Amino acid sequence: MPSQTAWALMGILTVCGGDDRSVQRGVRHLVDTQDDMLRQGDGDGGAAAWTEREFTSTGFPNHFYISYTLDRVYLSITALGRYLSSVEGGQEKKEKGGGA
């Protein structure tokens, strides 16, 4: 699920940084699963959206489930933003002669 991938991606980014293989795989998954219709847009730059058909929150099984409707969107955007910040921050260190 996009929301769960995003949670994991943010956690791994905190420890490993943007060059980690797990991070790269999580980013690729979020990019690849972004809804095609919205990714292409209609001339206004498009919109970011992901589909989650399954419930990812608690409730009482077979009675009711809780759905946090926007988790799939804002968690994915946050994770991708943190990834970009991590990668861009690392690039700045390299350009300034610091870091690996």
Side-chain angles (χ1 to χ4, degrees), residues 61-74:
N62 299 320
H63 295 284
F64 78 89
Y65 298 92
I66 300 170
S67 176
Y68 296 105
T69 307
L70 295 178
D71 275 6
R72 60 189 163 75
V73 176
Y74 72 77

Side-chain angles (χ1 to χ4, degrees), residues 13-14 17 26 29 33 37-38 42 52-53 56 58 66 69 71 92 97:
L13 268 169
T14 301
H29 178 72
T33 58
M37 181 180 73
L38 295 173
D42 57 2
E52 284 189 355
R53 289 177 177 78
T56 58
T58 59
I66 300 170
T69 307
D71 275 6
E92 288 175 17

Side-chain angles (χ1 to χ4, degrees), residues 15-90:
V15 177
C16 298
D19 293 333
D20 184 77
R21 184 171 185 262
S22 297
V23 169
Q24 296 294 319
R25 290 180 66 203
V27 167
R28 174 61 31 212
H29 178 72
L30 288 177
V31 170
D32 288 347
T33 58
Q34 186 177 1
D35 292 342
D36 288 331
M37 181 180 73
L38 295 173
R39 188 181 334 155
Q40 293 171 4
D42 57 2
D44 65 355
W50 288 262
T51 301
E52 284 189 355
R53 289 177 177 78
E54 295 83 3
F55 289 97
T56 58
S57 304
T58 59
F60 291 105
N62 299 320
H63 295 284
F64 78 89
Y65 298 92
I66 300 170
S67 176
Y68 296 105
T69 307
L70 295 178
D71 275 6
R72 60 189 163 75
V73 176
Y74 72 77
L75 290 175
S76 297
I77 290 172
T78 301
L80 292 173
R82 288 185 184 183
Y83 166 73
L84 288 175
S85 294
S86 172
V87 172
E88 290 171 357

Side-chain angles (χ1 to χ4, degrees), residues 3-19:
S3 61
Q4 293 172 329
T5 299
W7 274 114
L9 181 57
M10 287 187 279
I12 296 169
L13 268 169
T14 301
V15 177
C16 298
D19 293 333

